[in-house]
Amino acid sequence: MKLVRYSKDGETRIGRVEDGAVRALDPAQTDMVRLIEDFDNLRDRLRPASDPMPIESVTIEAPLPNPPRNLFCVGKNYREHAREFSGSGYEAGAVKGAEVDEYPAVFTKPATSIVGPGADVLLHPEITSEVDYEIELALIIGKPGNIPRERAYEHIWGYTIVNDVTARDRQKRHKQWFMGKALDTFCPMGPWIATADEIDPENLDLETRINGEVRQRSNTRDLIFDIPSLVETISSGLTLVPGDVIVTGTPAGVGIGFDPPKFLKHGDVVSMTITGLGTLENTFR
């Protein structure tokens, strides 16, 4: 099922998305993390409890509004993007011929970076002039553990879209990724979470459009480090818990991949679509 967190008439609830409409759940749910934790017990009891509401008639919120315990992100996980990043001049220590890493590069984004679809993303012009976009498939952990790759999919509850917004000048200046990716509003997420049984994560098309212009187009078949290996690597010695998010990396076509680079500016509309996960759209201000 596709589950969305929405607000209407001052009330926030979790609903089910079907045929372009939203229906509230019975029993009533307001906390996505608690729903994830108790999903095995609740699944057969969840029923639509309202008439269908056009999705345009409600405000869609970020699907995980309460901060997940961890928001892990993976860099350079598509070969063509690894090459464009290495050749862009923005990667500290780039070595020609060694663009693809032996191990996944993992960093975090803080909960204060998370916003929902339709929310404005701040350009922070007082501290950066080089804001970039990155479409990424995100997975949500449903069962805790230190997880071997052969059991990874047993622990994944669902999937959503994340825009890993990045201030490239800060990323370059600090010679690491957190400072360029941790700014307020720099993690748009949504519009909904599709439960794992709805999605074939190893064959999903990804597309980014900026003001209607296609910039990124790829498929998760092109991941360097696949989802089971990411889950195993990140959870080695670190217990993942329900609500943890792993963001799997972006394909080629980001702003620094162009000559000259195409950074985002005031009023730009960024739309990101992944098979089965809808479209995440935000305006940059």
Side-chain angles (χ1 to χ4, degrees), residues 19-64:
D19 300 323
V22 177
R23 300 179 73 179
L25 294 178
D26 180 27
Q29 304 292 319
T30 60
D31 187 323
M32 190 70 81
V33 173
R34 288 189 178 181
L35 175 60
I36 294 169
E37 290 174 330
D38 202 29
F39 191 68
D40 285 348
N41 295 324
L42 284 172
R43 181 172 191 142
D44 292 338
R45 296 167 48 208
L46 293 174
R47 301 284 189 275
S50 69
D51 292 333
M53 298 172 286
I55 202 164
E56 299 82 8
S57 70
V58 301
T59 300
I60 304 299
E61 309 284 356
L64 290 167

Short mmCIF file of all heavy atoms in Angstrom, two decimals, residues 19-64:
data_model
loop_
_atom_site.label_atom_id
_atom_site.label_comp_id
_atom_site.label_asym_id
_atom_site.label_seq_id
_atom_site.Cartn_x
_atom_site.Cartn_y
_atom_site.Cartn_z
N ASP A 19 -5.55 5.58 -6.61
CA ASP A 19 -6.15 6.22 -7.79
C ASP A 19 -6.21 7.74 -7.66
O ASP A 19 -7.22 8.37 -7.97
CB ASP A 19 -7.56 5.67 -8.03
CG ASP A 19 -7.56 4.17 -8.26
OD1 ASP A 19 -6.62 3.68 -8.92
OD2 ASP A 19 -8.49 3.49 -7.78
N GLY A 20 -5.11 8.33 -7.20
CA GLY A 20 -5.03 9.78 -7.12
C GLY A 20 -5.82 10.41 -6.00
O GLY A 20 -6.00 11.63 -5.98
N ALA A 21 -6.31 9.60 -5.07
CA ALA A 21 -7.08 10.10 -3.94
C ALA A 21 -6.49 9.59 -2.63
O ALA A 21 -5.74 8.62 -2.60
CB ALA A 21 -8.54 9.69 -4.05
N VAL A 22 -6.84 10.27 -1.54
CA VAL A 22 -6.37 9.91 -0.21
C VAL A 22 -7.57 9.53 0.64
O VAL A 22 -8.61 10.20 0.61
CB VAL A 22 -5.62 11.08 0.46
CG1 VAL A 22 -5.19 10.70 1.88
CG2 VAL A 22 -4.41 11.49 -0.36
N ARG A 23 -7.42 8.46 1.42
CA ARG A 23 -8.46 8.07 2.38
C ARG A 23 -7.81 7.84 3.73
O ARG A 23 -6.78 7.17 3.84
CB ARG A 23 -9.18 6.80 1.92
CG ARG A 23 -9.86 6.97 0.55
CD ARG A 23 -10.55 5.69 0.12
NE ARG A 23 -11.76 5.45 0.88
CZ ARG A 23 -12.57 4.41 0.69
NH1 ARG A 23 -12.27 3.52 -0.24
NH2 ARG A 23 -13.65 4.26 1.42
N ALA A 24 -8.39 8.42 4.77
CA ALA A 24 -7.87 8.23 6.12
C ALA A 24 -7.95 6.77 6.51
O ALA A 24 -8.72 5.99 5.94
CB ALA A 24 -8.67 9.08 7.10
N LEU A 25 -7.13 6.39 7.49
CA LEU A 25 -7.07 5.01 7.95
C LEU A 25 -7.87 4.81 9.23
O LEU A 25 -7.96 5.69 10.07
CB LEU A 25 -5.62 4.59 8.21
CG LEU A 25 -4.69 4.51 7.00
CD1 LEU A 25 -3.30 4.12 7.47
CD2 LEU A 25 -5.21 3.53 5.96
N ASP A 26 -8.46 3.64 9.35
CA ASP A 26 -9.10 3.19 10.58
C ASP A 26 -8.45 1.85 10.96
O ASP A 26 -8.44 0.93 10.15
CB ASP A 26 -10.61 3.00 10.37
CG ASP A 26 -11.31 2.54 11.63
OD1 ASP A 26 -10.81 2.85 12.72
OD2 ASP A 26 -12.35 1.87 11.52
N PRO A 27 -7.87 1.71 12.17
CA PRO A 27 -7.84 2.70 13.24
C PRO A 27 -6.98 3.91 12.87
O PRO A 27 -6.02 3.78 12.12
CB PRO A 27 -7.26 1.95 14.42
CG PRO A 27 -6.46 0.84 13.80
CD PRO A 27 -7.20 0.45 12.57
N ALA A 28 -7.36 5.08 13.41
CA ALA A 28 -6.70 6.33 13.08
C ALA A 28 -5.21 6.26 13.40
O ALA A 28 -4.81 5.74 14.44
CB ALA A 28 -7.35 7.48 13.84
N GLN A 29 -4.39 6.78 12.50
CA GLN A 29 -2.94 6.78 12.66
C GLN A 29 -2.42 8.20 12.45
O GLN A 29 -2.83 8.89 11.51
CB GLN A 29 -2.28 5.85 11.64
CG GLN A 29 -2.79 4.42 11.68
CD GLN A 29 -2.39 3.70 12.95
OE1 GLN A 29 -1.26 3.84 13.43
NE2 GLN A 29 -3.31 2.93 13.51
N THR A 30 -1.52 8.63 13.33
CA THR A 30 -0.93 9.96 13.20
C THR A 30 0.60 9.93 13.24
O THR A 30 1.23 10.93 12.92
CB THR A 30 -1.43 10.90 14.31
OG1 THR A 30 -1.06 10.35 15.58
CG2 THR A 30 -2.93 11.09 14.24
N ASP A 31 1.20 8.81 13.62
CA ASP A 31 2.65 8.72 13.79
C ASP A 31 3.18 7.61 12.89
O ASP A 31 2.95 6.43 13.14
CB ASP A 31 2.97 8.43 15.26
CG ASP A 31 4.47 8.49 15.56
OD1 ASP A 31 5.26 8.07 14.71
OD2 ASP A 31 4.83 8.96 16.66
N MET A 32 3.90 8.01 11.83
CA MET A 32 4.36 7.03 10.85
C MET A 32 5.36 6.05 11.45
O MET A 32 5.35 4.85 11.12
CB MET A 32 4.97 7.73 9.64
CG MET A 32 5.28 6.81 8.47
SD MET A 32 3.80 6.18 7.61
CE MET A 32 3.40 7.60 6.56
N VAL A 33 6.23 6.52 12.34
CA VAL A 33 7.23 5.62 12.92
C VAL A 33 6.55 4.55 13.78
O VAL A 33 6.90 3.36 13.71
CB VAL A 33 8.27 6.41 13.74
CG1 VAL A 33 9.21 5.46 14.49
CG2 VAL A 33 9.09 7.31 12.81
N ARG A 34 5.56 4.95 14.58
CA ARG A 34 4.83 3.95 15.37
C ARG A 34 4.08 2.97 14.47
O ARG A 34 3.98 1.78 14.78
CB ARG A 34 3.87 4.64 16.33
CG ARG A 34 4.57 5.34 17.47
CD ARG A 34 3.58 5.83 18.50
NE ARG A 34 4.26 6.47 19.62
CZ ARG A 34 3.64 6.97 20.68
NH1 ARG A 34 2.31 6.92 20.77
NH2 ARG A 34 4.33 7.52 21.66
N LEU A 35 3.55 3.46 13.38
CA LEU A 35 2.87 2.58 12.44
C LEU A 35 3.85 1.56 11.86
O LEU A 35 3.53 0.37 11.74
CB LEU A 35 2.24 3.40 11.31
CG LEU A 35 1.59 2.61 10.16
CD1 LEU A 35 0.46 1.73 10.66
CD2 LEU A 35 1.09 3.57 9.08
N ILE A 36 5.05 2.02 11.52
CA ILE A 36 6.08 1.11 11.00
C ILE A 36 6.42 0.05 12.04
O ILE A 36 6.50 -1.15 11.74
CB ILE A 36 7.33 1.90 10.59
CG1 ILE A 36 7.02 2.82 9.39
CG2 ILE A 36 8.48 0.95 10.23
CD1 ILE A 36 8.12 3.83 9.10
N GLU A 37 6.62 0.48 13.27
CA GLU A 37 7.00 -0.44 14.34
C GLU A 37 5.95 -1.53 14.57
O GLU A 37 6.28 -2.68 14.88
CB GLU A 37 7.23 0.33 15.64
CG GLU A 37 8.47 1.21 15.62
CD GLU A 37 8.59 2.07 16.86
OE1 GLU A 37 7.54 2.43 17.44
OE2 GLU A 37 9.72 2.37 17.26
N ASP A 38 4.68 -1.17 14.42
CA ASP A 38 3.59 -2.11 14.74
C ASP A 38 2.87 -2.61 13.50
O ASP A 38 1.76 -3.13 13.58
CB ASP A 38 2.59 -1.42 15.69
CG ASP A 38 1.77 -2.42 16.49
OD1 ASP A 38 2.29 -3.53 16.76
OD2 ASP A 38 0.62 -2.11 16.85
N PHE A 39 3.51 -2.47 12.33
CA PHE A 39 2.81 -2.73 11.08
C PHE A 39 2.36 -4.18 10.95
O PHE A 39 1.28 -4.45 10.43
CB PHE A 39 3.69 -2.34 9.90
CG PHE A 39 2.97 -2.32 8.58
CD1 PHE A 39 2.00 -1.37 8.33
CD2 PHE A 39 3.26 -3.26 7.60
CE1 PHE A 39 1.33 -1.34 7.11
CE2 PHE A 39 2.58 -3.24 6.39
CZ PHE A 39 1.62 -2.27 6.15
N ASP A 40 3.16 -5.11 11.40
CA ASP A 40 2.77 -6.52 11.26
C ASP A 40 1.47 -6.80 12.00
O ASP A 40 0.65 -7.62 11.55
CB ASP A 40 3.87 -7.43 11.79
CG ASP A 40 5.06 -7.52 10.85
OD1 ASP A 40 4.92 -7.08 9.69
OD2 ASP A 40 6.12 -8.03 11.25
N ASN A 41 1.25 -6.14 13.13
CA ASN A 41 0.02 -6.33 13.90
C ASN A 41 -1.15 -5.54 13.32
O ASN A 41 -2.31 -5.96 13.42
CB ASN A 41 0.22 -5.92 15.36
CG ASN A 41 1.23 -6.81 16.07
OD1 ASN A 41 1.30 -8.00 15.82
ND2 ASN A 41 2.00 -6.22 16.96
N LEU A 42 -0.84 -4.41 12.70
CA LEU A 42 -1.89 -3.52 12.23
C LEU A 42 -2.34 -3.80 10.80
O LEU A 42 -3.47 -3.48 10.43
CB LEU A 42 -1.42 -2.06 12.31
CG LEU A 42 -1.38 -1.40 13.68
CD1 LEU A 42 -0.70 -0.04 13.57
CD2 LEU A 42 -2.80 -1.23 14.23
N ARG A 43 -1.47 -4.37 10.00
CA ARG A 43 -1.69 -4.42 8.56
C ARG A 43 -3.08 -4.93 8.17
O ARG A 43 -3.77 -4.32 7.36
CB ARG A 43 -0.62 -5.29 7.90
CG ARG A 43 -0.79 -5.37 6.40
CD ARG A 43 0.38 -6.07 5.75
NE ARG A 43 0.31 -5.89 4.31
CZ ARG A 43 1.36 -5.70 3.54
NH1 ARG A 43 2.56 -5.64 4.06
NH2 ARG A 43 1.22 -5.55 2.24
N ASP A 44 -3.50 -6.05 8.73
CA ASP A 44 -4.78 -6.64 8.34
C ASP A 44 -5.97 -5.88 8.92
O ASP A 44 -7.12 -6.14 8.53
CB ASP A 44 -4.84 -8.10 8.78
CG ASP A 44 -3.85 -8.97 8.00
OD1 ASP A 44 -3.45 -8.56 6.89
OD2 ASP A 44 -3.47 -10.04 8.51
N ARG A 45 -5.72 -4.93 9.84
CA ARG A 45 -6.80 -4.17 10.44
C ARG A 45 -6.99 -2.80 9.82
O ARG A 45 -8.00 -2.13 10.07
CB ARG A 45 -6.53 -4.00 11.94
CG ARG A 45 -6.52 -5.31 12.73
CD ARG A 45 -5.94 -5.09 14.12
NE ARG A 45 -6.54 -3.92 14.77
CZ ARG A 45 -5.92 -3.17 15.68
NH1 ARG A 45 -4.68 -3.48 16.04
NH2 ARG A 45 -6.54 -2.15 16.22
N LEU A 46 -6.00 -2.35 9.04
CA LEU A 46 -6.08 -1.01 8.46
C LEU A 46 -7.14 -0.97 7.38
O LEU A 46 -7.09 -1.73 6.41
CB LEU A 46 -4.72 -0.61 7.89
CG LEU A 46 -3.60 -0.39 8.90
CD1 LEU A 46 -2.28 -0.13 8.18
CD2 LEU A 46 -3.92 0.75 9.86
N ARG A 47 -8.10 -0.09 7.55
CA ARG A 47 -9.19 0.06 6.59
C ARG A 47 -9.36 1.53 6.24
O ARG A 47 -9.14 2.40 7.09
CB ARG A 47 -10.52 -0.44 7.20
CG ARG A 47 -10.51 -1.91 7.61
CD ARG A 47 -10.63 -2.82 6.40
NE ARG A 47 -10.82 -4.21 6.80
CZ ARG A 47 -9.83 -5.04 7.10
NH1 ARG A 47 -8.57 -4.63 7.04
NH2 ARG A 47 -10.08 -6.29 7.46
N PRO A 48 -9.75 1.85 4.99
CA PRO A 48 -10.09 3.23 4.68
C PRO A 48 -11.27 3.68 5.54
O PRO A 48 -12.26 2.96 5.69
CB PRO A 48 -10.46 3.18 3.20
CG PRO A 48 -9.81 1.94 2.68
CD PRO A 48 -9.84 0.97 3.82
N ALA A 49 -11.15 4.89 6.12
CA ALA A 49 -12.18 5.36 7.05
C ALA A 49 -12.83 6.66 6.60
O ALA A 49 -13.52 7.31 7.38
CB ALA A 49 -11.57 5.55 8.44
N SER A 50 -12.62 7.05 5.36
CA SER A 50 -13.23 8.28 4.87
C SER A 50 -13.52 8.12 3.39
O SER A 50 -13.01 7.21 2.72
CB SER A 50 -12.30 9.48 5.08
OG SER A 50 -11.16 9.38 4.23
N ASP A 51 -14.35 9.00 2.86
CA ASP A 51 -14.54 9.04 1.42
C ASP A 51 -13.24 9.48 0.75
O ASP A 51 -12.43 10.19 1.36
CB ASP A 51 -15.66 10.02 1.07
CG ASP A 51 -17.01 9.53 1.55
OD1 ASP A 51 -17.19 8.30 1.66
OD2 ASP A 51 -17.88 10.38 1.84
N PRO A 52 -13.02 9.09 -0.49
CA PRO A 52 -11.80 9.51 -1.18
C PRO A 52 -11.73 11.04 -1.28
O PRO A 52 -12.72 11.70 -1.62
CB PRO A 52 -11.92 8.86 -2.56
CG PRO A 52 -12.88 7.73 -2.38
CD PRO A 52 -13.84 8.18 -1.32
N MET A 53 -10.57 11.58 -0.97
CA MET A 53 -10.31 13.01 -1.11
C MET A 53 -9.28 13.21 -2.21
O MET A 53 -8.22 12.56 -2.18
CB MET A 53 -9.77 13.59 0.20
CG MET A 53 -10.70 13.47 1.39
SD MET A 53 -9.89 13.96 2.95
CE MET A 53 -8.82 12.52 3.22
N PRO A 54 -9.54 14.06 -3.21
CA PRO A 54 -8.52 14.31 -4.23
C PRO A 54 -7.22 14.73 -3.54
O PRO A 54 -7.23 15.52 -2.60
CB PRO A 54 -9.10 15.45 -5.05
CG PRO A 54 -10.58 15.36 -4.84
CD PRO A 54 -10.76 14.86 -3.43
N ILE A 55 -6.12 14.17 -4.01
CA ILE A 55 -4.85 14.44 -3.34
C ILE A 55 -4.52 15.93 -3.35
O ILE A 55 -3.84 16.44 -2.45
CB ILE A 55 -3.72 13.59 -3.98
CG1 ILE A 55 -2.55 13.44 -3.01
CG2 ILE A 55 -3.29 14.15 -5.32
CD1 ILE A 55 -1.59 12.34 -3.38
N GLU A 56 -5.07 16.65 -4.34
CA GLU A 56 -4.82 18.08 -4.41
C GLU A 56 -5.58 18.86 -3.33
O GLU A 56 -5.29 20.03 -3.08
CB GLU A 56 -5.22 18.63 -5.78
CG GLU A 56 -4.45 18.04 -6.96
CD GLU A 56 -5.02 16.70 -7.40
OE1 GLU A 56 -6.09 16.30 -6.91
OE2 GLU A 56 -4.37 16.04 -8.25
N SER A 57 -6.55 18.21 -2.68
CA SER A 57 -7.37 18.90 -1.69
C SER A 57 -6.78 18.85 -0.29
O SER A 57 -7.34 19.43 0.64
CB SER A 57 -8.78 18.31 -1.67
OG SER A 57 -8.77 16.99 -1.12
N VAL A 58 -5.67 18.14 -0.10
CA VAL A 58 -5.03 18.05 1.20
C VAL A 58 -3.59 18.53 1.07
O VAL A 58 -3.05 18.63 -0.04
CB VAL A 58 -5.07 16.61 1.76
CG1 VAL A 58 -6.51 16.13 1.88
CG2 VAL A 58 -4.26 15.66 0.90
N THR A 59 -2.98 18.83 2.18
CA THR A 59 -1.56 19.21 2.20
C THR A 59 -0.73 17.98 2.53
O THR A 59 -0.87 17.41 3.61
CB THR A 59 -1.29 20.31 3.24
OG1 THR A 59 -2.08 21.47 2.91
CG2 THR A 59 0.18 20.69 3.25
N ILE A 60 0.11 17.58 1.60
CA ILE A 60 0.95 16.41 1.82
C ILE A 60 2.19 16.84 2.60
O ILE A 60 2.90 17.76 2.21
CB ILE A 60 1.36 15.76 0.48
CG1 ILE A 60 0.12 15.40 -0.34
CG2 ILE A 60 2.23 14.54 0.73
CD1 ILE A 60 -0.80 14.41 0.34
N GLU A 61 2.44 16.16 3.70
CA GLU A 61 3.59 16.45 4.55
C GLU A 61 4.72 15.45 4.26
O GLU A 61 4.52 14.45 3.57
CB GLU A 61 3.19 16.34 6.02
CG GLU A 61 1.94 17.14 6.40
CD GLU A 61 2.19 18.62 6.51
OE1 GLU A 61 3.37 19.04 6.36
OE2 GLU A 61 1.24 19.38 6.73
N ALA A 62 5.89 15.73 4.81
CA ALA A 62 6.97 14.74 4.73
C ALA A 62 6.49 13.46 5.40
O ALA A 62 5.85 13.51 6.46
CB ALA A 62 8.22 15.26 5.43
N PRO A 63 6.74 12.29 4.82
CA PRO A 63 6.18 11.06 5.37
C PRO A 63 6.75 10.68 6.73
O PRO A 63 6.12 9.92 7.47
CB PRO A 63 6.53 10.00 4.32
CG PRO A 63 7.68 10.58 3.57
CD PRO A 63 7.47 12.05 3.56
N LEU A 64 7.93 11.20 7.08
CA LEU A 64 8.52 10.92 8.38
C LEU A 64 8.79 12.24 9.10
O LEU A 64 9.93 12.71 9.15
CB LEU A 64 9.82 10.12 8.23
CG LEU A 64 9.66 8.67 7.77
CD1 LEU A 64 11.01 8.09 7.36
CD2 LEU A 64 9.04 7.82 8.87
#
